[in-house]
Amino acid sequence: MTDSSVLDLAPVVPVVVVEDVADAVPLARALVAGGLRAIEVTLRTPAALDAIRAVANEVPDAVVGAGTVISPQNVADSVAAGARFLVSPGWTDTLLDAMKKSGVPFLPGVSTTSEVVALLERGVSEMKFFPAEAAGGVPYLKSLAGPLPQARFCPTGGVSLGSAPSYLALKNVGCVGGSWMLPADAVAAKDWARIETLAREAAGLE
């Protein structure tokens, strides 16, 4: 991993919701075995921080990060748990300051041109575009490339195996975030082999 970029780790960053911390390590191992090293564990469940800690400690080949980061406390807790990058669905000055001071790479979320310009003004050029499909998808990001070529994005939200290549073809997209390689029934069944297969398919996207 470079000092600053989450966008260049892999074409796809799995967005993981962990309900049971016991699933975290085998799930992460399956994703890494399939070629997806960067793993975003969202802070949407009580198990999330323990899951990040477990993956950070037990899956050395994974680059585990925290998603749904919405407060300075989330930032502090995530980094303390071992998160190596941070992702937020949106941003405020307070949250951005906390992420900047965290010492780890981060992707603040944007969905409008004004938010992109505001981040560029603050010296941030790598962002999460969320919710990607609902906010305008591929055409929207394509239209931003002309006036704002310095901004690079990780579109997340409604991105699928079918739509991912269209996003990845854009010059201002470094990677996409998604959860299609983590179908709920496979996670519930602890079918890690299936998840590894789906991860390998995702890792092959360009």
Side-chain angles (χ1 to χ4, degrees), residues 80 84 87 117 131-132 166 185:
R84 292 172 59 186
V87 184
V117 172
S166 297
D185 58 338

Side-chain angles (χ1 to χ4, degrees), residues 6 15 19 28 35-36 43 47 54 57 84-85 92 101 112 135 163 170 172 177-178 192 199:
V6 183
V15 179
E19 301 286 351
L36 300 180
L43 302 184
N57 290 336
R84 292 172 59 186
F85 64 91
T92 64
K101 291 173 184 173
T112 69
S163 64
L170 299 177
N172 58 350
W192 312 127

Side-chain angles (χ1 to χ4, degrees), residues 93-136:
D93 287 332
T94 300
L95 179 59
L96 188 66
D97 287 343
M99 290 195 292
K100 278 188 164 188
K101 291 173 184 173
S102 70
V104 301
F106 57 90
L107 294 175
V110 297
S111 60
T112 69
T113 308
S114 294
E115 290 170 314
V116 175
V117 172
L119 281 177
L120 291 173
E121 195 175 80
R122 297 285 300 272
V124 177
S125 60
E126 298 190 343
M127 313 166 194
K128 170 179 177 172
F129 180 57
F130 178 82
E133 286 290 290

Side-chain angles (χ1 to χ4, degrees), residues 15 27 31 35 62 67 70 73 75 83 87 94-95 120 130 140 142 144 152 155 157 180 193 195:
V15 179
L27 192 157
L31 291 171
I70 59 172
Q73 189 64 55
V75 172
V87 184
T94 300
L95 179 59
L120 291 173
F130 178 82
Y140 191 94
K142 195 171 185 178
L144 290 183
R152 294 180 72 219
W180 73 83
I195 288 171

Side-chain angles (χ1 to χ4, degrees), residues 11-201:
V12 178
V13 177
V15 179
V16 182
V17 179
V18 178
E19 301 286 351
D20 181 351
V21 71
D23 291 341
V25 167
L27 192 157
R29 285 178 175 152
L31 291 171
V32 170
L36 300 180
R37 292 181 57 231
I39 300 170
E40 176 189 334
V41 177
T42 67
L43 302 184
R44 299 182 195 175
T45 68
L49 289 171
D50 286 336
I52 290 169
R53 191 172 292 109
V55 173
N57 290 336
E58 299 180 46
V59 192
D61 290 335
V63 179
V64 64
T68 321
V69 174
I70 59 172
S71 71
Q73 189 64 55
N74 285 164
V75 172
D77 291 345
S78 298
V79 173
R84 292 172 59 186
F85 64 91
L86 305 170
V87 184
S88 69
W91 68 279
T92 64
D93 287 332
T94 300
L95 179 59
L96 188 66
D97 287 343
M99 290 195 292
K100 278 188 164 188
K101 291 173 184 173
S102 70
V104 301
F106 57 90
L107 294 175
V110 297
S111 60
T112 69
T113 308
S114 294
E115 290 170 314
V116 175
V117 172
L119 281 177
L120 291 173
E121 195 175 80
R122 297 285 300 272
V124 177
S125 60
E126 298 190 343
M127 313 166 194
K128 170 179 177 172
F129 180 57
F130 178 82
E133 286 290 290
V138 169
Y140 191 94
L141 284 177
K142 195 171 185 178
S143 69
L144 290 183
L148 302 170
Q150 62 272 60
R152 294 180 72 219
F153 302 94
C154 174
T156 306
V159 180
S160 66
L161 178 64
S163 64
S166 297
Y167 282 103
L168 292 168
L170 299 177
K171 58 187 176 183
N172 58 350
V173 169
C175 63
V176 299
S179 55
W180 73 83
M181 74 297 298
L182 299 161
D185 58 338
V187 176
K190 304 187 189 303
D191 188 349
W192 312 127
R194 181 180 168 203
I195 288 171
E196 180 182 337
T197 298
L198 293 170
R200 185 168 291 109
E201 184 179 36

